[in-house]
């Protein structure tokens, strides 16, 4: 049963990837303005990532690639890509990864880095802060209600998603400087 569900999910991810490629090509060719379509597709891709993270504590590479393609297409609406922001997020998550003895996954690090393509350095810090504030709040609530202890694995992708959209829409959308 679970194996059949995984096969169906993987087929959905393949279709999602093909749709993402088509949207990206439309965006790059400037046939239509697809900014909001891309944001919705990123949300759909993140929802499938949330599902796999909660169910398996895993994120599929095809899902990461889909989100990367969509996010790179979305950066067309920005004046620049702040590579310092991506490096900052990657390094800070990598440090946490080693300090916490792999409490967060490599897929979480990759996803956070991909999502940070939409932000400048300050907003990347805000994105990082939102992620861990929400994760810590839920972890504390779960421990108070005895639903978890300090060793319980908590999926990070739901918090990355919330933090991404809160940071993205904090000032009304993608930044153009």
């Amino acid at each position: 049963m679970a194996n059949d569900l995984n096969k169906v999910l993987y087929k959905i991810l393949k279709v999602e990837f093909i749709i993402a490629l088509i949207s990206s090509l439309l965006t790059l060719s400037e046939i239509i303005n697809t900014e909001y379509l891309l944001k919705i597709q990123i949300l759909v891709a993140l929802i499938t990532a949330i599902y796999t993270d909660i169910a398996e504590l895993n994120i599929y590479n095809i899902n990461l690639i889909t989100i990367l393609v969509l996010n790179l297409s979305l950066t067309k609406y920005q004046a620049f890509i702040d590579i310092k922001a991506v490096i900052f997020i990657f390094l800070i998550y990598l440090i946490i990864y080693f300090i916490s003895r792999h409490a967060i996954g490599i897929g979480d690090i990759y996803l956070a880095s991909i999502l940070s393509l939409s932000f400048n350095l300050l907003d990347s810090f805000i994105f990082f802060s939102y992620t861990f504030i929400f994760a810590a709040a839920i972890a504390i609530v779960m421990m108070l209600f005895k639903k978890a202890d300090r060793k319980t694995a908590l999926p990070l992708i739901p918090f990355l998603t919330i933090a991404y959209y809160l940071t993205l829409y904090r000032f009304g959308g993608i930044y153009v400087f």
Side-chain angles (χ1 to χ4, degrees):
M1 177 73 179
N3 198 16
D4 292 336
L5 188 60
N6 285 342
K7 287 179 183 177
V8 170
L9 178 64
Y10 198 72
K11 286 179 183 176
I12 290 171
L13 289 172
K14 284 181 182 177
V15 170
E16 189 177 276
F17 178 71
I18 292 168
I19 293 170
L21 283 176
I22 293 168
S23 295
S24 297
L25 290 174
L26 288 173
T27 301
L28 295 175
S29 65
E30 297 182 4
I31 294 173
I32 56 174
N33 182 344
T34 57
E35 179 181 4
Y36 295 107
L37 175 65
L38 289 170
K39 289 178 183 178
I40 291 168
Q41 284 183 293
I42 291 172
L43 180 61
V44 169
L46 285 169
I47 289 169
T48 58
I50 288 169
Y51 171 77
T52 57
D53 196 27
I54 290 171
E56 305 171 10
L57 290 176
N58 188 19
I59 182 169
Y60 293 114
N61 288 337
I62 192 167
N63 204 236
L64 284 172
I65 293 168
T66 301
I67 295 168
L68 175 64
V69 167
L70 290 168
N71 217 358
L72 284 173
S73 298
L74 192 60
T75 59
K76 173 185 183 252
Y77 299 101
Q78 292 175 242
F80 64 94
I81 296 175
D82 192 351
I83 198 68
K84 294 179 295 200
V86 177
I87 292 170
F88 167 76
I89 288 293
F90 182 79
L91 290 177
I92 199 84
Y93 276 85
L94 198 60
I95 290 167
I96 292 170
Y97 174 78
F98 286 116
I99 289 175
S100 67
R101 296 189 187 107
H102 316 295
I104 63 172
I106 287 292
D108 296 326
I109 297 170
Y110 292 152
L111 182 61
S113 299
I114 290 168
L115 294 176
S116 69
L117 285 167
S118 298
F119 306 126
N120 60 31
L121 190 57
L122 174 63
D123 292 327
S124 288
F125 179 74
I126 292 168
F127 168 62
F128 167 77
S129 300
Y130 280 163
T131 300
F132 284 98
I133 288 169
F134 292 128
I138 294 298
I140 290 169
V141 168
M142 288 176 68
M143 288 192 301
L144 286 175
F145 287 104
K146 308 281 189 225
K147 299 289 183 189
D149 60 13
R150 289 177 41 98
K151 301 289 183 192
T152 303
L154 192 62
L156 192 61
I157 295 176
F159 306 110
L160 286 169
T161 302
I162 293 167
Y164 174 72
Y165 280 98
L166 279 177
T167 306
L168 191 66
Y169 288 108
R170 218 179 71 220
F171 295 112
I174 299 289
Y175 300 95
V176 178
F177 293 103

